[in-house]
């Protein structure tokens, strides 16, 4: 499943249609394939969507419940959730031009749709607010992390921005509140090899050539806690959270490291104390030096220690 860039269906309420290419197989109908491919969606739901004209082929022709299966055909549809709990925090648009949109994301809000999140995601909220159907993030931050996310506006130039991250041509700076390690000499650079863990929610460390590197600086310290500047030189999933935990200073209110807590138990009063503070790069399209800084703040150390 992917989100199409040239869909015969328009964006609806901030949600761009999704696309699935019908594979080789012997399903009696397109509806039968969709039921098999997406078992969480009942056959009655697919029938209702088709009756409403919300499932079409690449030529814009409505897909009926009885239409025979045709391998190779692209089918477009709207993703929907029966019920979605509102996330009571608002994003801020810090910058917008013909190439980029920069948003300041609150804690707990996912960047893109997935699982139980659709309307309550940064991407869909921004599409709905700005009316830009082609908006696409050029990097990601965790749902629990607050701070900067940069979006490409034009599909034609999106790949050039993605390449900046692959080439490590982006300067990223985070802030975190975590335990103070009196025995840890700072600043320091920590390196490790991160790979997927058996539990898809986590990453793990294994022996071998390091593929994750973070520069760590102490900004301030008060009692048992400290505020750190984290500068990732690579972009592995959960890199900052894992590196802090590995150094014996897990980020305050982390629900994944070092211990994975149950899903669906967010505590809005205890957000992960990690903020994507600053991002800078030379724009590969305009040549302009871009630099953006979050307007959000983490908890003061005196309050964080309560």
């Amino acid at each position: 499943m992917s989100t199409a860039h040239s869909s015969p269906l328009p964006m609806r309420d901030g949600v761009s249609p999704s696309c699935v290419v019908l594979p080789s197989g012997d399903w009696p109908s397109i509806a039968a394939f969709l039921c098999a491919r997406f078992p969480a969606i009942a056959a009655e739901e697919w029938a209702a969507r088709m009756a409403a004209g919300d499932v079409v082929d690449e030529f814009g022709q409505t897909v009926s419940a009885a239409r025979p299966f045709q391998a190779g055909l692209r089918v477009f549809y709207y993703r929907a959730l029966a019920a979605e709990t509102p996330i009571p925090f608002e994003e801020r648009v810090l910058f917008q031009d013909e190439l980029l949109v920069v948003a300041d994301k609150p804690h707990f809000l996912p960047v893109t749709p997935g699982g139980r999140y659709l309307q309550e995601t940064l991407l869909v909220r921004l599409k709905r607010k700005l009316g830009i159907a082609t908006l696409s993030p050029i990097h990601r931050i965790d749902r629990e992390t607050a701070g900067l996310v940069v979006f490409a506006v034009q599909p034609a130039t999106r790949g050039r921005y993605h390449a900046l991250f692959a080439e490590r041509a982006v300067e990223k700076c985070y802030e975190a509140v975590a335990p103070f390690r009196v025995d840890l000499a700072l600043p320091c650079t920590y390196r490790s090899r991160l790979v997927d863990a058996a539990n898809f929610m986590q990453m793990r460390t294994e022996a071998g050539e390091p593929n994750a590197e973070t520069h760590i600086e102490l900004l301030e310290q008060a009692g048992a806690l400290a505020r750190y500047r984290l500068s990732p030189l690579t972009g592995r999933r959960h890199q900052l959270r894992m590196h802090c935990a590995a150094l014996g200073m897990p980020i305050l209110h982390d629900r994944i490291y070092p211990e994975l807590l149950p899903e669906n138990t967010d505590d809005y009063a205890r957000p992960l104390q990690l903020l994507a503070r600053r991002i800078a790069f030379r724009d590969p399209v305009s040549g302009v030096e871009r630099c953006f800084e979050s307007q959000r703040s983490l908890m003061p150390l005196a309050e964080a220690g309560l």
Side-chain angles (χ1 to χ4, degrees):
M1 179 180 64
S2 63
T3 300
H5 303 309
S6 56
S7 167
L9 292 174
M11 182 174 70
R12 176 189 289 174
D13 197 20
V15 178
S16 296
S18 294
C19 174
V20 61
V21 180
L22 304 187
S24 299
D26 56 358
W27 289 274
S29 66
I30 294 176
F33 163 77
L34 291 173
C35 289
R37 174 66 177 81
F38 305 108
I41 303 175
E44 294 77 13
E45 173 65 21
W46 281 117
R49 294 186 191 185
M50 291 175 177
D54 289 345
V55 184
V56 305
D57 67 17
E58 59 198 273
F59 307 106
Q61 298 298 310
T62 301
V63 174
S64 68
R67 182 167 171 178
F69 183 83
Q70 180 183 345
L73 187 71
R74 292 191 302 163
V75 172
F76 295 82
Y77 62 95
Y78 292 108
R79 184 165 180 251
L81 294 177
E84 197 169 355
T85 302
I87 295 173
F89 306 105
E90 290 297 318
E91 69 285 350
R92 304 167 187 162
V93 175
L94 300 182
F95 176 85
Q96 180 181 355
D97 67 6
E98 72 280 1
L99 294 171
L100 298 176
V101 169
V102 181
D104 207 352
K105 187 185 83 67
H107 291 103
F108 302 106
L109 184 70
V111 172
T112 56
R116 66 185 189 274
Y117 301 102
L118 179 60
Q119 290 291 336
E120 292 300 295
T121 62
L122 182 60
L123 176 61
V124 172
R125 283 187 179 185
L126 290 177
K127 284 183 174 183
R128 193 166 62 238
K129 177 184 295 184
L130 303 177
I132 305 174
T134 56
L135 207 61
S136 178
I138 60 175
H139 67 116
R140 307 290 174 91
I141 62 175
D142 294 340
R143 180 179 71 88
E144 297 93 340
T145 303
L148 300 177
V149 183
V150 183
F151 294 80
V153 173
Q154 302 177 19
T157 57
R158 185 179 304 154
R160 297 175 69 178
Y161 291 103
H162 281 298
L164 289 176
F165 289 85
E167 296 164 1
R168 300 187 186 180
V170 178
E171 178 189 336
K172 295 175 289 181
C173 176
Y174 290 70
E175 289 181 14
V177 174
F180 175 60
R181 281 282 310 277
V182 67
D183 57 331
L184 181 64
L186 295 176
C188 75
T189 298
Y190 187 79
R191 302 174 181 86
S192 69
R193 182 170 183 81
L194 302 182
V195 297
D196 292 334
N199 187 316
F200 76 95
M201 288 293 295
Q202 292 180 309
M203 299 288 284
R204 65 178 178 86
T205 302
E206 72 172 15
E209 183 71 20
N211 60 7
E213 183 174 355
T214 304
H215 187 69
I216 304 168
E217 301 168 76
L218 178 66
L219 294 177
E220 63 172 318
Q221 179 255 330
L225 294 175
R227 186 182 311 276
Y228 299 93
R229 179 184 290 121
L230 309 176
S231 302
L233 304 180
T234 54
R236 295 290 170 178
R237 176 172 174 255
H238 292 178
Q239 174 178 322
L240 302 181
R241 299 166 75 166
M242 283 208 68
H243 280 181
C244 285
L247 289 170
M249 39 182 259
I251 297 173
L252 197 65
H253 306 326
D254 194 335
R255 303 182 60 78
I256 299 181
Y257 304 99
E259 179 185 0
L260 179 61
L261 300 180
E263 284 191 271
N264 306 328
T265 56
D266 287 338
D267 183 347
Y268 289 156
R270 295 167 60 85
L272 176 72
Q273 291 300 287
L274 180 61
L275 173 68
R277 167 63 71 192
R278 182 177 180 274
I279 191 166
F281 54 89
R282 178 182 290 275
D283 193 298
V285 179
S286 69
V288 173
E289 293 290 343
R290 306 274 202 179
C291 183
F292 306 104
E293 186 158 344
S294 172
Q295 297 175 358
R296 299 183 185 275
S297 299
L298 297 178
M299 299 172 65
L301 294 185
E303 293 181 17
L306 295 178

